[in-house]
Amino acid sequence: MIVSMKRFATKAEIESVCERIRDFGYKIHAIEGEERVVIGVVGVGDVTACLESLEAMECVEKAMRISAPYKFVSKEFRRTRTIIRIHGGVEIGGDEFVVMAGPCSVESEKQIMESAEAVARSGATVLRGGAFKPRTSPYDFQGMAEEGLKLLRKAREATGLAIVTEVMSDNDVALVAEYADIMQVGARNMQNFALLKTLGKCGRAVMLKRGMSSTIKELLMSAEYIVAHGNPNVILCERGIRTFETATRNTCDIAAVPVLNELTHLPVVLDPSHATGKRSLVPALSRAAVAVGSDGLIVEAHPCPEKAISDGAQSLHLDEFDRMMRDLKGYIALWKEARQAMAATV
Ligand code: PEP
Ligand code: MN
């Protein structure tokens, strides 16, 4: 923390600020400047409370935090990348580009089994499908709940795919954890702190989607909640943010992937389906995800998108998904080379 005093602050005022800083358990590292004194502060404590208290003092010009407000998820805390190992030997954040695919919602046994078999054949290793759906309208389909989870289990047993599915409430964490290999936190719940804390204690990997109006810092702070409560297995997901642009459902912040890779050791995946809202745009953004160094993709694909209960317009047909996977192969080969080169330099 750095505290800048107002010009010509008196010795007594400087001392009163130092005293306040010490009251919060911090140490004064250095006091510099004559006209405008700047106080360097080090130590561990409640930074937010200390900053607010100092800024409330008349003689203080500005109090600023220097280190990142998130600790466990930052690169400073851990230099090596986090690799998350789940069912079927799937590793997220490792040497394989991981593709998670499936319908937006679990709708029926036939629909989820057909999706699972097809996406597995095309090379996906994780099946997606929502059993609890966060819908903007309370009158829209809310998901099949536990019945949907049971169908996901069936598909997992039949194909060997791992399962990623959304959990919307802390009350449902124990139930969803019985079926899911990765617990998905949806964009609308990124700052549901009760849910994040419970997921911190649940022991299953978590995929945290970026809130539609959230900054990268806020996304990392939400991840910090989960890690600080005991669960280091967090995957971050860029899924587009809300901007003035209307040509796409959301605006894909493709730069978020390399930005996150600079700031955190956690794996990062991209969701080109929610980021665009249009199936025709999904392959291009998937290529972009590989190129910018994402650890994987989560893509919506459906046996018959025209009949999908949710997100049909952005869901690929299963044969389109297959073609996209084939087209991605060359890009993924380059991705692997880049990963190996990176590993060799660490
Ligand atoms: C979803 O994955 O189907 C979903 C609802 O995503 P998001 O939370 O990103 O809107
Ligand atoms: Mn969806």
Side-chain angles (χ1 to χ4, degrees):
M1 217 177 343
I2 281 187
V3 184
S4 172
M5 302 292 296
K6 286 216 171 113
R7 280 184 86 195
F8 306 116
T10 65
K11 273 212 165 84
E13 283 171 332
I14 296 165
E15 190 39 47
S16 69
V17 168
C18 290
E19 223 174 278
R20 182 76 55 93
I21 291 167
R22 288 190 204 101
D23 285 347
F24 275 93
Y26 291 102
K27 289 202 171 78
I28 306 298
H29 180 63
I31 302 181
E32 283 176 35
E34 295 215 337
E35 254 190 32
R36 191 189 297 278
V37 167
V38 174
I39 307 171
V41 181
V42 290
V44 180
D46 186 339
V47 190
T48 309
C50 185
L51 284 176
E52 281 177 9
S53 164
L54 293 172
E55 288 215 308
M57 295 177 84
E58 199 48 50
C59 56
V60 170
E61 178 80 47
K62 204 163 174 47
M64 285 165 295
R65 181 198 290 270
I66 297 297
S67 59
Y70 41 84
K71 185 168 99 184
F72 297 124
V73 306
S74 80
K75 270 251 174 88
E76 285 156 38
F77 181 75
R78 205 189 143 166
R79 291 181 65 85
T80 54
R81 299 173 59 85
T82 290
I83 300 176
I84 299 174
R85 295 177 179 87
I86 57 165
H87 174 71
V90 178
E91 289 188 351
I92 302 134
D95 297 336
E96 296 291 331
F97 186 83
V98 175
V99 179
M100 313 181 199
C104 179
S105 309
V106 180
E107 299 168 4
S108 68
E109 178 164 349
K110 185 169 178 291
Q111 174 244 22
I112 198 67
M113 294 304 270
E114 212 179 302
S115 305
E117 276 153 17
V119 300
R121 265 197 312 273
S122 302
T125 49
V126 182
L127 175 67
R128 67 149 289 149
F132 292 95
K133 293 306 300 176
R135 304 306 298 276
T136 302
S137 163
Y139 308 115
D140 287 347
F141 176 62
Q142 303 287 307
M144 291 179 77
E146 190 167 7
E147 210 188 325
L149 294 174
K150 287 188 174 145
L151 295 178
L152 285 169
R153 173 178 286 169
K154 217 167 171 180
R156 181 183 192 259
E157 281 165 4
T159 59
L161 292 171
I163 300 294
V164 56
T165 193
E166 178 157 356
V167 58
M168 284 171 51
S169 143
D170 51 330
N171 292 323
D172 296 331
V173 167
L175 172 70
V176 177
E178 279 181 45
Y179 298 90
D181 299 292
I182 305 173
M183 314 278 280
Q184 173 174 332
V185 178
R188 293 156 190 81
N189 264 319
M190 190 201 86
Q191 287 189 320
N192 179 341
F193 299 118
L195 174 62
L196 301 180
K197 285 183 196 172
T198 309
L199 286 167
K201 296 182 209 112
C202 106
R204 282 263 180 273
V206 176
M207 184 180 74
L208 180 64
K209 297 188 90 174
R210 180 178 181 181
M212 46 188 109
S213 304
S214 300
T215 63
I216 288 174
K217 185 162 138 191
E218 286 162 344
L219 171 63
L220 288 169
M221 291 305 290
S222 289
E224 182 84 6
Y225 259 90
I226 303 168
V227 180
H229 281 83
N231 186 352
N233 296 321
V234 181
I235 303 155
L236 303 172
C237 177
E238 165 61 36
R239 47 78 73 204
I241 49 175
R242 196 168 266 190
T243 68
F244 52 80
E245 183 55 73
T246 53
T248 45
R249 180 179 179 183
N250 291 292
T251 298
C252 180
D253 181 6
I254 195 75
V257 176
V259 169
L260 286 167
N261 279 337
E262 276 186 9
L263 298 176
T264 179
H265 50 84
L266 296 176
V268 182
V269 300
L270 188 90
D271 175 344
S273 311
H274 292 87
T276 58
K278 281 188 189 161
R279 80 170 67 92
S280 63
L281 302 174
V282 169
L285 271 185
S286 298
R287 291 195 294 276
V290 181
V292 293
S294 142
D295 292 285
L297 285 169
I298 176 158
V299 181
E300 287 184 341
H302 192 286
C304 184
E306 295 75 14
K307 290 195 185 148
I309 300 183
S310 57
D311 288 350
Q314 67 192 32
S315 300
L316 295 172
H317 292 88
L318 297 174
D319 60 339
E320 288 172 330
F321 176 71
D322 187 63
R323 195 167 326 126
M324 180 180 95
M325 290 294 278
R326 276 187 278 126
D327 292 345
L328 279 179
K329 277 205 176 110
Y331 294 83
I332 292 175
L334 291 172
W335 178 96
K336 279 194 187 176
E337 276 178 32
R339 265 297 147 98
Q340 277 154 11
M342 204 167 72
T345 58
V346 170

